[in-house]
Amino acid sequence: DAGITQSPRYKITETGRQVTLMCHQTWSHSYMFWYRQDLGHGLRLIYYSAAADITDKGEVPDGYVVSRSKTENFPLTLESATRSQTSVYFCASNPGANYEQYFGPGTRLTVT
Amino acid sequence: KNQVEQSPQSLIILEGKNCTLQCNYTVSPFSNLRWYKQDTGRGPVSLTIMTFSENTKSNGRYTATLDADTKQSSLHITASQLSDSASYICVVSATGGGNKLTFGTGTQLKVEL
């Protein structure tokens, strides 16, 4: 299917566990992004990538790791999950700056 | 610090009525302003993107305005429908900020019969 997909859509994990959220896009967009969305906050950028093997920190990168070995995939890993990382995570992509960003459906993560 | 503020936080209107949502920003230097619609449980979807030189842009029943001098934008929804119930998010991009966006917290709109 064309577009941007995320998996899993829902995840419950325990404090201290490692968890990886997957993001896949079929447009060959150069840029990919990870955001978190929490009540009372706008979407906040965690990490972004301008191309394969190029990643950079966003506004709230602590506790997260990303990689981008292929253009179409941009996984986000929580190395040791904490309760404060309970959130809804959105992946997005676009072909370049000033272009529309296309968002995935989101992953709701709960850390107990 | 770049900021985007939206008002009201929430709004309830009757189907068929019009409404206007407000956005004030302090992002500088300004590049473009976007309005997104986010349905419950889904990712945001772009409605409009406006650059410095544009002061009005329409997308069907949605019309966005931009006053770059006062750093204000509005989103006007005409003849509302039940399907317009969603969160509307104002997003601003700064020149030289690459692809980094500053998001407002959104206005939650509910359209009732």
Side-chain angles (χ1 to χ4, degrees):
Chain A
D1 288 338
I4 184 165
T5 57
Q6 294 183 234
S7 61
R9 293 293 315 279
Y10 303 90
K11 177 75 176 178
I12 300 174
T13 191
E14 294 178 341
T15 300
R17 292 197 180 260
Q18 182 181 85
V19 60
T20 296
L21 310 184
M22 304 301 294
C23 178
H24 175 79
Q25 52 104 357
T26 61
W27 296 300
S28 298
H29 284 167
S30 299
Y31 283 85
M32 295 188 74
F33 310 84
W34 274 108
Y35 295 93
R36 59 178 290 171
Q37 186 174 40
D38 304 288
L39 277 175
H41 292 275
L43 276 83
R44 291 181 290 176
L45 183 65
I46 304 170
Y47 269 96
Y48 69 102
S49 168
D53 296 323
I54 301 175
T55 63
D56 207 348
K57 295 179 180 179
E59 182 185 355
V60 289
D62 293 343
Y64 303 95
V65 175
V66 293
S67 62
R68 192 158 176 218
S69 57
K70 291 184 178 181
T71 299
E72 61 267 30
N73 297 324
F74 191 38
L76 175 74
T77 298
L78 289 67
E79 292 191 302
S80 179
T82 64
R83 290 195 183 88
S84 64
Q85 293 176 311
T86 292
S87 186
V88 181
Y89 292 85
F90 288 99
C91 179
S93 73
N94 73 358
N98 297 322
Y99 284 84
E100 176 182 344
Q101 288 191 15
Y102 295 89
F103 286 81
T107 293
R108 182 174 293 276
L109 176 68
T110 301
V111 183
T112 63
Chain B
K1 182 181 178 183
N2 291 335
Q3 286 190 314
V4 176
E5 295 184 353
Q6 295 186 243
S7 61
Q9 268 192 323
S10 61
L11 183 62
I12 300 174
I13 62 173
L14 294 177
E15 187 181 30
K17 298 296 185 182
N18 304 335
C19 68
T20 301
L21 315 180
Q22 302 291 342
C23 173
N24 296 327
Y25 62 91
T26 56
V27 176
S28 182
F30 175 83
S31 177
N32 61 69
L33 184 144
R34 311 159 190 223
W35 282 94
Y36 280 85
K37 178 187 180 189
Q38 185 176 19
D39 293 316
T40 300
R42 296 182 176 266
V45 174
S46 178
L47 294 174
T48 63
I49 299 178
M50 288 186 293
T51 61
F52 183 89
S53 60
E54 297 173 295
N55 52 26
T56 302
K57 200 158 204 179
S58 292
N59 178 357
R61 293 180 297 102
Y62 301 102
T63 299
T65 65
L66 172 64
D67 186 334
D69 291 332
T70 61
K71 298 186 178 180
Q72 295 180 326
S73 176
S74 65
L75 180 69
H76 186 75
I77 304 174
T78 304
S80 61
Q81 301 176 358
L82 295 177
S83 59
D84 292 331
S85 295
S87 178
Y88 291 85
I89 304 172
C90 178
V91 185
V92 183
S93 173
T95 302
N99 243 316
K100 293 184 182 178
L101 306 177
T102 302
F103 289 77
T105 54
T107 291
Q108 188 68 44
L109 174 66
K110 184 174 184 181
V111 181
E112 295 183 336
L113 288 171

